[in-house]
């Protein structure tokens, strides 16, 4: 079992194992994420149909349907901007959360694959559908809990300032921005273990408590891993600053093309390797900190497991 305390050696081991597993299971992750995306879109379409079909007939057909959404847009603009209403805005945010919950589930399902990899040194693409069926509501609740902890304090602060008509500029604005960034970094770290805990059969509330408890008890261990992956992603896309500069200067055609090519390559590396490695690292870290035994095979040399356990 790896050390529960942070050190350079432990961090390097985390990165080495997680990226090794990500590369070895790259095809399973790719097919699994495609499958999850398809299922997520289907679930969202079904949900939209359940709401929109009765509404379509209730408002009098196509013209009424279009008019309804146009009026809804006007109402939303008034509620959130011109004539803010906290109660109506809260209902709007809740409705938006319901719409995006399938994406929360999709993210959580990938952690199921990560858990399988850490436990058995491999996974299969079809395993994601099992996790989707078994943990749909728990993972949806976990995603909402993560949003609530990270986003609601910021929404409240900025909402109160907006309703009070106070425009924060200058030094106070800089301080508020810095505090907001600090909260996002701190709270996101606290919630890194929510999905692994749900995969470990915790309820949403208990998973949130467990994640916060582990993040504070092993603060250096959790945040060193979390911040390292954030830095990796930042450094990956830092060269795109050249592309932004080229976009501002239309004469720099070659630089802009090179930046576009780099952006595509970086996006593929992010989706196929870095994000799976992050999922594996957090799943493995959760098991280590929770005292769950990791097989020697999964700590040493992962097997190549492409599709369906082949």
């Amino acid at each position: 079992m790896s050390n529960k305390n942070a050190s350079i050696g432990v961090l390097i081991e985390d990165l080495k194992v997680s990226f090794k597993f990500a590369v070895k299971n790259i095809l399973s992750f790719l097919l699994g994420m495609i499958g999850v995306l398809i299922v997520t879109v289907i679930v969202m379409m079904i949900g939209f149909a359940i709401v929109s079909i009765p509404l379509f007939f209730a408002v009098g057909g196509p013209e009424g349907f279009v008019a309804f959404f146009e009026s809804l847009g006007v109402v939303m603009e008034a509620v959130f901007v011109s004539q803010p209403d906290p109660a109506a805005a809260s209902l709007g945010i809740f409705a938006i959360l319901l719409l995006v919950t399938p994406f929360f589930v999709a993210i959580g399902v990938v952690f199921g694959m990560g858990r399988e990899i850490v436990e058995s040194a491999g996974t299969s693409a079809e395993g994601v559908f099992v996790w989707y069926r078994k943990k749909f509501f728990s993972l949806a609740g976990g995603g909402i809990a993560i949003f609530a902890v990270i986003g609601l304090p910021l929404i409240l602060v900025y909402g109160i300032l907006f309703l009070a008509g106070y425009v924060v500029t200058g030094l106070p604005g800089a301080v508020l921005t810095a505090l907001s960034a600090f909260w996002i970094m701190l709270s996101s770290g606290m919630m890194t273990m929510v999905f692994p805990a749900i995969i470990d059969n915790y309820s949403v509330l208990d998973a949130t408590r467990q994640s916060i408890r582990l993040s504070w008890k092993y603060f250096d261990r959790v945040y060193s891993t979390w911040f390292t992956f954030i830095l990796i992603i930042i450094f990956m896309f830092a060269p795109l600053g050249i592309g932004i500069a080229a976009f501002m200067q239309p004469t720099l055609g070659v630089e802009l093309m090179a930046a576009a090519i780099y952006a595509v390559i970086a996006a593929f590396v992010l989706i196929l390797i870095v994000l799976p490695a992050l999922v594996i690292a957090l799943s493995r870290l959760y098991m280590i900190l929770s005292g769950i035994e990791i097989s020697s095979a999964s700590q040493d040399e992962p097997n190549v497991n492409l599709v369906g356990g082949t």
Side-chain angles (χ1 to χ4, degrees):
M1 182 66 65
S2 300
N3 201 315
K4 294 183 178 181
N5 299 317
S7 69
I8 295 298
V10 169
L11 180 59
I12 292 175
E13 179 67 14
D14 284 344
L15 296 176
K16 182 179 71 174
V17 171
S18 59
F19 276 97
K20 183 186 292 184
F21 277 120
V23 172
K24 292 290 186 178
N25 292 276
I26 189 171
L27 186 55
S28 287
F29 261 109
L30 174 61
L31 295 177
M33 286 188 287
I34 292 174
V36 167
L37 182 60
I38 293 173
V39 174
T40 299
V41 171
I42 292 174
V43 170
M44 293 185 69
M45 290 175 63
I46 293 174
F48 181 76
I50 291 174
V51 174
S52 62
I53 292 176
L55 180 64
F56 179 85
F57 292 103
V59 296
E63 293 183 1
F65 196 67
V66 173
F68 172 81
F69 280 98
E70 289 177 347
S71 62
L72 181 62
V74 173
V75 171
M76 295 294 286
E77 190 274 338
V79 166
F80 284 99
V81 181
S82 61
Q83 297 176 328
D85 182 338
S90 300
L91 290 175
I93 293 172
F94 178 73
I96 293 171
L97 277 177
L98 291 180
L99 290 175
V100 300
T101 47
F103 288 103
F104 293 149
V105 178
I107 295 171
V109 164
V110 178
F111 277 88
M113 296 183 70
R115 176 65 177 257
E116 291 176 356
I117 288 174
V118 177
E119 286 185 327
S120 60
T123 186
S124 59
E126 58 266 29
V128 300
F129 300 102
V130 177
W131 291 111
Y132 209 105
R133 186 184 72 252
K134 290 173 58 178
K135 298 289 185 179
F136 181 90
F137 292 105
S138 296
L139 293 174
I144 293 174
I146 292 172
F147 172 84
V149 171
I150 299 174
L152 283 187
L154 298 178
I155 292 174
L156 288 174
V157 170
Y158 284 96
I160 292 171
L161 291 173
F162 181 80
L163 290 174
Y166 186 71
V167 180
V168 184
T169 58
L171 181 59
V175 172
L176 181 60
T177 300
L179 290 176
S180 300
F182 174 77
W183 172 250
I184 291 173
M185 298 294 286
L186 179 66
S187 58
S188 62
M190 287 193 300
M191 303 303 283
T192 52
M193 301 287 120
V194 171
F195 283 136
I198 289 175
I199 295 298
D200 198 30
N201 293 320
Y202 279 83
S203 67
V204 174
L205 183 58
D206 289 338
T208 303
R209 291 172 177 168
Q210 177 75 340
S211 182
I212 294 173
R213 185 187 71 82
L214 291 176
S215 68
W216 284 107
K217 184 176 182 179
Y218 304 102
F219 186 91
D220 55 343
R221 188 76 165 85
V222 172
Y223 280 89
S224 62
T225 302
W226 178 236
F227 286 164
T228 297
F229 274 93
I230 290 176
L231 289 175
I232 289 173
I233 295 172
I234 290 174
F235 285 135
M236 278 180 59
F237 288 93
L240 292 181
I242 299 174
I244 295 174
F247 184 76
M248 302 299 292
Q249 300 289 334
T251 56
L252 302 177
V254 176
E255 290 82 354
L256 182 59
M257 182 177 296
I261 295 173
Y262 179 84
V264 172
I265 295 174
F268 273 103
V269 173
L270 176 69
I271 294 171
L272 297 180
I273 298 178
V274 178
L275 292 183
L278 172 60
V279 168
I280 294 168
L282 293 179
S283 299
R284 180 173 178 269
L285 180 59
Y286 169 81
M287 295 177 68
I288 291 171
L289 300 183
S290 299
I292 301 172
E293 188 66 32
I294 300 177
S295 67
S296 58
S298 65
Q299 294 188 70
D300 299 326
E301 185 63 32
N303 296 322
V304 179
N305 194 0
L306 300 179
V307 184
T310 58

